[in-house]
Every structure is written in structure tokens, then in C-alpha cells.
Amino acid sequence: MANNDFNCSFSATITAGEAISKINKVPEWWGVTFTGNAEKQDDQFVIKMGEEAFFNCTVTELVPNKKVVWLITDCYMPWYTDKKEWANTKLIFDVNENNGVTELHFTHKGLTPDVECYKDCEPGWTHWIKTSLESYFTTGKGVFRKPTK
């Protein structure tokens, strides 16, 4: 069976350790209001978008120089019929360093073309990962834009 979860990748001249550290500095690359911590296993944080939308996350896996996984434990997305559509989905950041170049592979496990928000979330994630996070890896600054919704 094919894996339909949203995913995208890019490579940058950065160590795997630097990549993990930068991923964990969420407000630097994702234009959101952020409270809590995302630096260690079991850390919890909240991402807010606008007045109502929120995503509660827990760092469920942190493998130094290799992988970070965030579980969205609760959310509220007022724009959609299923306002909890991202609840119990996972944001997975896999990194692989080779000769000073690190490839980041991002997967939003549970975000598939058959869910309502996919049409907005696919271009949103593509921007936040392939434009903003990549820029943060390479220049030290994310590229912010207004959320899709």
C-alpha cells in the first residue's frame, strides 16, 4: 500500500546536530506563537495561529543527529469541519548527514490527500519546510508568510 502522508525533503551544508537544534527552535522558522519547549524528549509545547487555532505537541522521539518526532496531542482548526483533524498525527523530521551535507526528510504522518485540510496544508508545509526551514538552516533566518488559512 502506498504511503500518502505528506512529505518533502531538502539538503543543506550543515551538520545533523545543527539541523536538529534548529528544528527545535520552532519560532525561528515557523511563523507562529510558541510556548513551551521542544528541545528534549517528552518536552511539550503549544503552537498558536491567530486568535483561536492551536496545536498542542509533545516531543515523543528525539534521536541525536538522526530524528525528531512531535505528536500533536490536541488541536483546534476553526476553518475546517473536523476542527481536530491534526489530533494524533505526527510531525517527523529525519536527518541524515553525509560528508558535511545533511538531508532533512519531513513527514506529516496522518496528513493525506483525503483529509479536508490537505489542499491548504500541502502548500503550507511545503513553504515552512522547503523555504523557511531550509533558509533558517542556510542563512540563520526563516522566511515568514501569513498562514494559508
Side-chain angles (χ1 to χ4, degrees), residues 52-72:
E52 295 182 86
F54 71 85
F55 306 90
N56 293 352
C57 302
T58 299
V59 179
T60 58
E61 190 175 347
L62 180 57
V63 180
N65 304 318
K66 293 288 180 196
K67 185 177 205 173
V68 177
V69 179
W70 301 336
L71 172 66
I72 300 173

Side-chain angles (χ1 to χ4, degrees), residues 24-36:
N24 295 342
K25 291 179 173 72
V26 179
E28 299 297 322
W29 61 269
W30 194 0
V32 293
T33 302
F34 176 91
T35 55

Side-chain angles (χ1 to χ4, degrees), residues 75-87 116-117:
C75 66
Y76 184 74
M77 299 169 29
W79 320 284
Y80 301 111
T81 305
D82 180 356
K83 298 178 183 343
K84 303 277 187 183
E85 195 164 69
W86 280 20
E116 182 184 3
C117 80

Side-chain angles (χ1 to χ4, degrees), residues 69-122:
V69 179
W70 301 336
L71 172 66
I72 300 173
T73 57
D74 192 16
C75 66
Y76 184 74
M77 299 169 29
W79 320 284
Y80 301 111
T81 305
D82 180 356
K83 298 178 183 343
K84 303 277 187 183
E85 195 164 69
W86 280 20
N88 299 309
T89 65
K90 292 182 179 181
L91 308 179
I92 303 166
F93 302 84
D94 286 300
V95 296
N96 183 26
E97 183 180 352
N98 189 7
N99 295 321
V101 175
T102 295
E103 181 179 9
L104 168 78
H105 184 80
F106 172 79
T107 303
H108 186 157
K109 187 164 182 59
L111 178 62
T112 59
D114 59 332
V115 298
E116 182 184 3
C117 80
Y118 191 85
K119 69 186 178 308
D120 299 318
C121 296
E122 186 271 337

